[in-house]
Amino acid sequence: MSVATTDRAVTRDDLVDFVYDEVRMLDEGRWDDWLKLWLPDGMYWMPLDYKQTDPIHETSLMWEDQFMLRLRVERLNGARTFSQKPKSRCHHVIQRPYVDRIDNAAGEYVVVTQMHYVETRLDDQMLLALTARHDLVREGDALRIRQKRVDILNCDAAFGNIQLLP
Amino acid sequence: MGLSTRQDIEALVTPFQVHRDVYTSAEVYRLEMKHLFANTWVFVGHDSQVPNKGDYYTTQVGDQPVIMVRHSDGEVKVLYNRCPHKGTKIAIDRTGNTGKFFRCPYHAWSFKTDGCLLAIPLKKGYDGTGLSETESAKGMKAVGAVEVYRGFVFARLAPEGIGFAEFFGDSLSSIDNMVDRSPAGRLEVAGQPLRYMHRCNWKMLVENQTDTCHPMVAHESSAGTAVRIWEEMDAPEGTPKPAAMQIIAPFMSPYEFFEEMGIRTWPNGHGHTGVHHSIHSAYSEIPGYMDAMTAAYGEERATAILGENRHNTVYFPNIMIKGPIQQLRNFIPLGPDKTLVESWIYRLVDAPDELVARTAMYNRMINAPTSIVGHDDLEMYERAQEGLMSDGLEWVNVQRLYREGEDFDTTAEENGTTERQMRNQFHAWVKFMTASMPRDAAREAAE
């Protein structure tokens, strides 16, 4: 983790590095490291509708707690995970994140990152344009994800399988 | 392949086998669009998608682009989405409000919301041309027939054919149960539908709805892993189970569970799993819901409504509903090997919000392009579509619990793992494919 000492303020670079580190974990399939980035009640939200405001009473593509995220990543390595034979691979290309909020007094931070997400399996390759919003909190010397919201530019289009994590 | 007569179609379906051409042939697909989707009652939408006059929703029936619109008299109309002048689609956005009339964006021909021609600019240019004698002068063409049943809008493209009540018969009891679960007896569409593209034939998806021998196999990676993780967590007694355990874990139920839940088939290709119980039976109670139901219906009737836990009801040809969770999946054919699956959810009017929250959860966990359950289903369909191109075998087998002389014109209740409902669908498939096809008399005499 990039925040070395507990009494140092979180900087813009810390937040930017956090986002870069996270997508690298996803691209390299380091799922156990990735799960450790989350608060126990952290939620991953991928809306289905453009500018959706309600994740609960309408359908989303994802609105997942830590149990679901753990299930999702553990499944990827299962012996009978048929849709992952052969496995998918993914690749994030991210723009310099916008740091929208640094509140060291509250220990709360908001980072918004635009990115291109590429996922491939067999002869197919898919490109998604995304905006990811990280709501982060400081926990001791580490940053943790309270909520990650991923808006897909064409969220209302019909997709085939999206199997890994943007 | 030339498929010109009903004998050609009948030859593709035997009592327990189906020729692979029904899934792979472009010619069969073309005939399905021309005959099957014209002769049957096909789902269009829900009337809560067009609550106000002039509200419209664009979709398709088979391969036909249509507009569902609330007319000025309050009725729901279904019109072909085509200007009678040059063919331009009148509406492109999925939903909107057109006011009192549609106006074609190309040459400004305008139409009332029941399709009647309202005005043409510079109309004197048609004086003496005989335009009024043409089909074009009648305006936007309406489909053959429309029926709104408890909010659900169905259309038959063919002007003549089987009536709505005869086509669906007792199968409407599943829609009744879904709507009766609202204390007000009404559903409203909630949010946008999932849109999930499948590179397989639409019938594979319909068949899978009553395929009770696949969940514990194809979904072991999601449902089985969920059960394992929960056990490993070794949570103290009384710890509330994670949502995923309630929704996904029942897919790992043993064969006996699915055998005992039963399957009921109705005439004309309709049928459902979960006669006695289903994977939806053990959902937790929502505070306040039973009270609202009892106030609306009385205790006995409310208990009866909520005691019915049908799993998947297939409405032939191409939708499935889940009554206990107010979900509808529309398997929209786009080609012999391409199907768009739209998964809609509905809110029970006057019921607690927690119910639609659970429905939304089910929809995203099971039926989204991002769903770990959906991933393995899609994988099976697409592997089957590719595998069927093999010349090793020409026939697909639907023989489980087959008995000679099955009568699909009567309602039947059987062991929940039978493939009778698939056979029922293919019986209806032949019936409605051939209803408007000529018979080859010479060949018949020779046989």
Side-chain angles (χ1 to χ4, degrees):
Chain A
M1 189 52 239
S2 53
V3 188
T5 59
T6 52
D7 53 358
R8 182 167 77 74
V10 171
T11 66
R12 181 174 294 266
D13 270 353
D14 293 329
L15 297 166
V16 169
D17 287 349
F18 182 91
V19 174
Y20 274 86
D21 288 344
E22 191 218 350
V23 299
R24 190 171 179 186
M25 289 175 194
L26 293 171
D27 287 350
E28 294 176 355
R30 289 189 282 120
W31 306 114
D32 290 340
D33 292 343
W34 183 74
L35 288 175
K36 287 180 193 142
L37 299 180
W38 292 79
L39 286 182
D41 59 352
M43 295 296 288
Y44 187 124
W45 187 17
M46 188 187 289
L48 172 63
D49 199 6
Y50 188 62
K51 295 186 175 172
Q52 187 171 338
T53 54
D54 184 347
I56 311 279
H57 305 96
E58 295 177 10
T59 308
S60 296
L61 288 162
M62 291 173 63
W63 172 249
E64 299 198 348
D65 59 16
Q66 294 308 294
F67 185 91
M68 266 306 287
L69 291 177
R70 181 174 163 196
L71 169 55
R72 182 176 282 279
V73 302
E74 288 202 14
R75 171 185 169 275
L76 291 172
N77 294 318
R80 288 176 175 164
T81 305
F82 306 113
S83 76
Q84 283 297 295
K85 292 181 177 298
K87 286 184 184 301
S88 303
R89 295 189 289 269
C90 71
H91 181 82
H92 293 73
V93 180
I94 74 175
Q95 184 174 291
R96 180 179 176 275
Y98 301 108
V99 176
D100 281 0
R101 182 175 179 216
I102 299 187
D103 185 342
N104 273 306
E108 294 178 345
Y109 315 88
V110 175
V111 186
V112 174
T113 313
Q114 297 190 319
M115 59 179 82
H116 286 180
Y117 172 77
V118 180
E119 187 175 302
T120 185
R121 180 172 176 256
L122 292 165
D123 291 330
D124 293 323
Q125 184 162 290
M126 168 180 55
L127 170 67
L128 299 174
L130 312 170
T131 302
R133 176 190 156 112
H134 288 78
D135 280 84
L136 303 174
V137 297
R138 181 175 186 151
E139 215 185 45
D141 63 350
L143 291 165
R144 296 274 181 259
I145 304 172
R146 174 185 284 157
Q147 184 176 308
K148 178 177 177 180
R149 172 178 172 143
V150 175
D151 282 280
I152 303 178
L153 182 63
N154 60 337
C155 57
D156 49 357
F159 300 113
N161 279 349
I162 302 171
Q163 297 208 52
L164 300 182
L165 285 156
Chain B
M1 181 175 57
L3 293 165
S4 53
T5 65
R6 59 175 67 196
Q7 287 95 330
D8 295 326
I9 294 298
E10 285 164 359
L12 296 172
V13 177
T14 80
F16 53 81
Q17 294 191 108
V18 186
H19 195 272
R20 56 104 177 255
D21 284 354
V22 308
Y23 304 98
T24 59
S25 154
E27 174 71 357
V28 169
Y29 179 78
R30 189 184 67 78
L31 291 169
E32 285 180 334
M33 295 306 110
K34 186 175 170 190
H35 295 278
L36 181 70
F37 280 86
N39 292 330
T40 49
W41 286 88
V42 180
F43 172 73
V44 182
H46 191 267
D47 70 354
S48 65
Q49 293 170 255
V50 289
N52 304 308
K53 290 172 185 176
D55 284 351
Y56 66 86
Y57 162 65
T58 61
T59 181
Q60 60 189 75
V61 172
D63 62 354
Q64 299 297 299
V66 298
I67 304 178
M68 177 176 94
V69 59
R70 178 82 63 175
H71 184 47
S72 48
D73 66 0
E75 277 195 28
V76 174
K77 306 286 182 186
V78 180
L79 311 172
Y80 287 94
N81 190 357
R82 174 208 197 276
C83 182
H85 178 208
K86 293 278 195 161
T88 311
K89 271 185 165 180
I90 297 290
I92 287 291
D93 37 1
R94 293 191 185 122
T95 60
N97 183 291
T98 195
K100 286 186 164 50
F101 61 91
F102 287 111
R103 181 176 183 271
C104 180
Y106 198 179
H107 301 98
W109 287 31
S110 57
F111 313 91
K112 293 183 202 167
T113 44
D114 61 357
C116 289
L117 182 64
L118 187 65
I120 297 176
L122 206 60
K123 199 166 184 193
K124 64 175 190 260
Y126 290 104
D127 285 350
T129 63
L131 175 76
S132 60
E133 310 303 314
T134 68
E135 287 284 307
S136 299
K138 292 178 183 164
M140 292 168 66
K141 195 176 168 69
V143 298
V146 176
E147 184 88 21
V148 183
Y149 186 79
R150 304 202 67 179
F152 292 90
V153 182
F154 292 85
R156 190 191 63 218
L157 294 176
E160 306 289 332
I162 190 168
F164 180 86
E166 184 189 350
F167 181 69
F168 286 116
D170 291 341
S171 73
L172 292 172
S173 55
S174 285
I175 290 181
D176 285 337
N177 183 256
M178 178 154 82
V179 182
D180 287 345
R181 284 166 173 266
S182 152
R186 260 176 48 72
L187 303 183
E188 283 174 357
V189 71
Q192 298 301 311
L194 290 163
R195 303 178 73 242
Y196 194 173
M197 196 65 83
H198 287 57
R199 287 179 301 193
C200 69
N201 189 269
W202 64 275
K203 293 187 291 301
M204 290 183 183
L205 281 135
V206 182
E207 281 166 49
N208 193 58
Q209 303 312 308
T210 59
D211 183 323
T212 51
C213 286
H214 88 281
M216 67 299 283
V217 182
H219 302 305
E220 184 183 332
S221 71
S222 46
T225 305
V227 172
R228 179 180 58 73
I229 292 175
W230 173 245
E231 283 168 359
E232 283 174 11
M233 285 169 72
D234 202 18
E237 193 82 20
T239 307
K241 280 188 180 181
M245 282 302 294
Q246 193 171 141
I247 300 290
I248 300 179
F251 284 63
M252 277 313 275
S253 303
Y255 286 113
E256 296 73 39
F257 177 91
F258 290 100
E259 286 193 300
E260 288 162 13
M261 79 188 227
I263 280 183
R264 181 181 285 131
T265 72
W266 292 289
N268 297 322
H270 318 298
H272 79 94
T273 45
V275 177
H276 312 293
H277 59 260
S278 75
I279 60 168
H280 306 304
S281 300
Y283 288 169
S284 59
E285 274 189 38
I286 303 289
Y289 179 44
M290 187 62 197
D291 293 344
M293 287 292 285
T294 303
Y297 295 103
E299 191 177 345
E300 192 181 339
R301 174 106 176 90
T303 304
I305 291 167
L306 300 181
E308 189 80 46
N309 278 295
R310 297 182 184 183
H311 173 223
N312 293 345
T313 297
V314 169
Y315 286 112
F316 187 79
N318 68 324
I319 63 165
M320 180 279 284
I321 69 160
K322 283 183 177 290
I325 60 164
Q326 302 83 49
Q327 182 202 37
L328 182 149
R329 303 186 71 210
N330 191 5
F331 309 109
I332 302 171
L334 298 180
D337 56 359
K338 195 172 181 189
T339 306
L340 170 62
V341 184
E342 287 188 346
S343 297
W344 295 84
I345 60 168
Y346 304 94
R347 180 184 307 107
L348 297 165
V349 174
D350 289 351
D353 278 352
E354 288 91 331
L355 283 141
V356 75
R358 181 156 63 199
T359 296
M361 185 191 309
Y362 188 96
N363 211 28
R364 67 173 181 263
M365 278 188 185
I366 309 299
N367 297 127
T370 36
S371 157
I372 56 177
V373 175
H375 291 160
D376 284 317
D377 277 326
L378 179 75
E379 179 72 12
M380 295 307 123
Y381 305 138
E382 294 189 346
R383 285 194 197 191
Q385 192 71 32
E386 290 179 23
L388 286 175
M389 299 313 289
S390 143
D391 291 330
L393 273 179
E394 289 189 25
W395 295 87
V396 171
N397 187 288
V398 287
Q399 203 164 3
R400 180 179 285 277
L401 295 173
Y402 165 74
R403 285 197 311 258
E404 206 172 323
E406 284 178 320
D407 177 8
F408 297 111
D409 292 328
T410 59
T411 298
E413 282 174 29
E414 294 195 3
N415 179 304
T417 58
T418 182
E419 288 171 343
R420 180 187 163 108
Q421 171 55 17
M422 301 177 203
R423 299 188 288 274
N424 187 35
Q425 284 159 204
F426 277 107
H427 179 81
W429 185 85
V430 171
K431 175 177 173 178
F432 292 103
M433 276 289 269
T434 60
S436 44
M437 277 184 189
R439 195 165 265 287
D440 183 340
R443 211 162 82 186
E444 205 157 65
E447 287 165 3

